Amino acid sequence: MRLSCCKNELLVRDILEQESSLHGRPTPRHSCMFCGASKENGFNILWENDKYMVFTDINPSAQHHFQVIPKKHIESVKSLDESHVEMVKEMIEIGHEVLEDLDVPHHLRRLGFHIPPYISVPHLHMHVQALPYRSFLRRLKYPVVVGRSGHEKGLSWFVEAEQAVRLLEKGLQVRILPC
């Protein structure tokens, strides 16, 4: 009898988690700061639709520094594969729209992702920045390294969004090592 009760509890929990994840909300086993992003939770939300959200970075490294996140929980850029290319392209487009509204010229824009384990929140988030950085040390957090010898990206804990798209289109995983 106890076994069937446990099975029912597990079944109910699984159903609740599936329903909750469809709506981009954290579940009891899965609490994520970004899944719970809202004005009520202290986020300065600049833009939102049914799939994505843009909010200001809590500790900006540049004059304008935002995060673009999918509402559906995805752990990080390392979790992405070829099937996520369109999603990343949509995130890039949103990031450019936000910077365009602020009249930030293209050559002063940086969009990209930190690569685990160098992430602060385990929910995919694309940094959208208007350069220059506030300090030399802030700049060091976002190194863009162009690959050599047939690699798209060099050794770095940060990948520009367009680099990520090109890697994913080739069926490669984004990682710290050259890829």
Side-chain angles (χ1 to χ4, degrees):
M1 187 65 134
R2 178 74 182 134
L3 182 60
S4 70
C5 176
C6 290
K7 281 183 181 179
N8 288 339
E9 287 174 15
L10 289 174
L11 180 61
V12 168
R13 185 171 56 196
D14 288 344
I15 291 169
L16 288 173
E17 285 181 351
Q18 288 173 0
E19 287 178 0
S20 190
S21 68
L22 289 174
H23 301 291
R25 293 186 208 117
T27 59
R29 254 197 296 177
H30 165 83
S31 67
C32 170
M33 179 189 320
F34 286 178
C35 285
S38 68
K39 290 182 181 185
E40 297 77 29
N41 287 336
F43 286 79
N44 181 18
I45 299 171
L46 304 173
W47 185 94
E48 183 175 13
N49 70 9
D50 60 325
K51 291 168 58 177
Y52 304 101
M53 181 183 298
V54 179
F55 50 85
T56 57
D57 191 287
I58 193 167
N59 187 14
S61 292
Q63 179 181 0
H64 300 295
H65 187 168
F66 311 110
Q67 303 291 339
V68 177
I69 66 165
K71 289 185 176 180
K72 176 185 176 193
H73 185 83
I74 298 173
E75 188 163 321
S76 75
V77 71
K78 280 181 77 171
S79 306
L80 303 180
D81 60 32
E82 215 169 342
S83 70
H84 295 101
V85 169
E86 287 309 310
M87 179 193 69
V88 176
K89 286 181 177 181
E90 289 172 357
M91 292 173 71
I92 291 169
E93 185 178 329
I94 293 164
H96 281 299
E97 286 176 16
V98 170
L99 293 176
E100 192 70 36
D101 289 346
L102 296 168
D103 295 322
V104 176
H106 274 272
H107 71 281
L108 293 178
R109 299 176 186 186
R110 171 129 332 133
L111 285 72
F113 305 91
H114 279 113
I115 304 166
Y118 302 98
I119 58 173
S120 54
V121 177
H123 183 118
L124 183 67
H125 55 283
M126 183 179 73
H127 293 269
V128 175
Q129 303 165 328
L131 304 179
Y133 289 110
R134 294 181 183 255
S135 71
F136 175 74
L137 291 176
R138 295 290 179 124
R139 188 176 118 216
L140 291 176
K141 287 177 65 177
Y142 307 93
V144 175
V145 180
V146 177
R148 295 186 299 192
S149 304
H151 291 38
E152 180 65 43
K153 176 193 136 330
L155 177 66
S156 175
W157 54 84
F158 186 79
V159 61
E160 275 192 314
E162 293 291 344
Q163 281 179 318
V165 167
R166 290 189 296 272
L167 288 167
L168 296 172
E169 286 176 335
K170 293 176 183 176
L172 300 173
Q173 182 185 34
V174 177
R175 58 185 190 194
I176 294 171
L177 295 173
C179 47

